[in-house]
Amino acid sequence: MAMDGWMRPEQEQMAQYAEAFYGLAALFQRLPCQKERLSEEELRVLFEDVKERVCVKCQKEETCWGDAYFSNCRMLYDCLREMEQSGTFSPEQEQYLRKNCGRSGQMSLALRAGYEEARNQLLWSNRMLEQRQAAGEQIYQTAELLRQTAQSFAGAAGAEQRVAKKLRRELQYLNVELDDIRAFARETDKTEYYLTAHAVNRSIWSGGALWKDYPVLRLGKRTQVVSARSVAEALSESCGEKMCPAPDCRAGVTDVPMIFHFVPETNYQLFCGVARVTKTGEMVSGDNYTLLQKDNGKILMSLADGMGSGTEANRESEKVIELLEQFLEAGFPQETAVRLINSCMLLQNGSQMFSTIDLCMVDLYNAKCDMIKFGAAATFLIDEKEIEVIRSGALPPGVMQQSDYESLHRTLKSGESIVMMTDGVSDALPEENREQAMAELIIRTKTRNAQEYARRLMERVYLSQKRQARDDMTILIGTIFEKK
C-alpha cells in the first residue's frame, strides 16, 4: 500500500471493489459440494418409492417390510451399490430376489428405473453446482485482479513527483507542455508512465529542426508535431531508465492535449512465424492462434485446436482464443486466464465441443518463458546444442471442474526457438518414435528467419502426407534475440 497508510482515491476505490468481490466469491465457495454417489436419505426415498410401486397389495408386504425389513434393506442397498459399480445386479443378487420376492421381475425393473432417475437428478444437481462454482471462480479471480491493480498504484505517487519536475524542464526544449503525469507499477521493478501533454508555439531554434538532438516537425507557421519517441527520450533522462512508447501509444504530440503511454525498453526481441494447412476437404481450419504483444513487455504465443475439424471446431477454438486475448488484455495473469476459460467452457450447458490451449508467454525483459498446456500437443525448445520436448497429458478445458493443466517455466537463450504445433502436425509423422522424428525434422529445417522456419517445416510435414492433410495443421514459431 501507499506510504504512511495513505491511499490514492483510485487505489482505495479499487481495494473496496476487490473486497466486495471477495465477499461475493465467498458466498459461492460455501455452496454444497458435488456428490459422487446417492446419499443414505436419497436411497431411503428410493426404497419407499419402489415399495409403493411393487409391494402394494402384495401378500408378503408385511413380512418383507416388517420382520425382514433390515435384511431386505441391506439386500437392496447391495443391489444399488453393485449398480453404481458395474451397472447391473450380480448373479447372486438376482438369485436372492427370485428366491425371496414373489415379484422379483417387477422389483428388479423398479430398482433399475428408480436408480436411473435418482442418478440423473444427482448429475443435474452436480451440473448446477459445477456452474455455480465456475461463476464463483470467475468472481474470485476478478477480485484478485482488482487487488493487484490497487497495489500497482502503491509508491507511484512518489515516482510521479520525482520525475515530473525534471521532465517539465526537458519537455520545454521540445515545445511540449506537460499537463499531467501518472505512474503505474505493473511489476515490482518496472514503472509505466501515462503523460498528458500538448505542443506549444514557442520558437526554439531559428531553423526549427533540432534542440538537444530531439527532432521537431513543423507543420505550417503555428502547428508542430513532436514524435512520441522524442518525448520518450526526455522521459528517459528524467527517470533514469530507458523508456519507449508503448504499442498503443500515439505517434506524435500536437497542440491538442492527449494521453501518451510509455514503458521501459525491453532487452530482447521475439520474431514470430506461422504456417497453416487446412484438412483436405474442409473449407475452414479448426485451429486458431494469436500473437499478442502486451504493454508490460511480454509477448503471447498461443494455439487452440478445436475438437474435430470444420466450422464447429473453428468456432470453438476461436472462442477460446478470443477469451484468452480478452482476459490477458484486461491484465489477468495467464494461469488465471486459463482457469477462467475452463470455467467459461463448463458454463456452456450441453456443449460437447472442446478446444485445447497451448500458451507461451515470453518476457522480453529477462527472456523468461512461461508455458501452459491444456490438452495440447508437444512443444519443442531448440537452441544450438540441444532440443527439449514439452509434453502435456491434461484434458482440454471444460471437461473437468478443476483446471487440469501443465505449467512450466524456462529461461531462454538468445537465438533459441520455440516451436508450437497442433496435433495434426505431430500425428502426420509415422507413429513409431514420432517425437524423435519431429525433433530431427525441426533441427534440419532450423533457420534464423521465424516465418521461413515455419513455412519450411510445414512444407516438409505436408509433403510427408503426399499433400493430403488428414487433420488441420498449424505451426507457430518464435525465435528470441538479445538486443545489441
Side-chain angles (χ1 to χ4, degrees), residues 367-430:
K368 290 184 177 179
C369 175
D370 299 322
M371 287 172 282
I372 293 178
K373 304 185 77 63
F374 216 146
T379 294
F380 298 80
L381 299 181
I382 307 99
D383 62 14
E384 295 180 355
K385 297 181 179 179
E386 59 183 16
I387 184 167
E388 181 181 2
V389 183
I390 310 295
R391 304 174 183 86
S392 171
L395 293 170
V399 177
M400 304 291 289
Q401 167 64 37
Q402 297 299 321
S403 305
D404 184 22
Y405 57 82
E406 306 282 345
S407 179
L408 306 102
H409 310 281
R410 298 288 186 274
T411 299
L412 304 177
K413 304 172 187 174
S414 183
E416 191 166 359
S417 294
I418 306 158
V419 179
M420 304 168 66
M421 63 188 68
T422 54
D423 58 8
V425 179
S426 55
D427 292 348
L429 299 181

Side-chain angles (χ1 to χ4, degrees), residues 174-191:
L174 291 171
N175 276 6
V176 173
E177 187 77 29
L178 179 65
D179 300 306
D180 189 27
I181 178 171
R182 305 305 298 267
F184 187 75
R186 288 183 188 266
E187 309 288 346
T188 55
D189 59 342
K190 303 182 187 71
T191 302

Side-chain angles (χ1 to χ4, degrees), residues 26-93:
L27 294 177
F28 281 87
Q29 292 171 350
R30 288 197 289 269
L31 289 170
C33 297
Q34 296 182 54
K35 297 186 296 184
E36 294 184 2
R37 59 197 310 176
L38 299 177
S39 66
E40 297 298 318
E41 176 61 23
E42 288 168 327
L43 289 176
R44 188 192 65 77
V45 172
L46 193 156
F47 293 160
E48 290 296 325
D49 183 61
V50 169
K51 176 182 174 183
E52 290 294 323
R53 290 185 189 182
V54 179
C55 302
V56 173
K57 298 182 180 180
C58 177
Q59 295 178 352
K60 295 184 177 181
E61 179 183 2
E62 292 185 3
T63 302
C64 294
W65 296 100
D67 298 339
Y69 176 83
F70 291 106
S71 61
N72 285 332
C73 279
R74 174 48 50 197
M75 182 271 296
L76 294 179
Y77 271 111
D78 292 342
C79 288
L80 292 172
R81 294 306 182 201
E82 183 68 24
M83 281 194 67
E84 283 186 315
Q85 294 178 7
S86 61
T88 186
F89 302 149
S90 68
E92 293 79 9
Q93 290 166 340

Side-chain angles (χ1 to χ4, degrees), residues 109-127:
L109 290 174
L111 280 173
R112 285 185 170 90
Y115 172 78
E116 289 299 323
E117 183 179 345
R119 186 68 180 170
N120 287 335
Q121 290 178 353
L122 175 66
L123 292 175
W124 276 109
S125 175
N126 282 345
R127 183 66 179 177

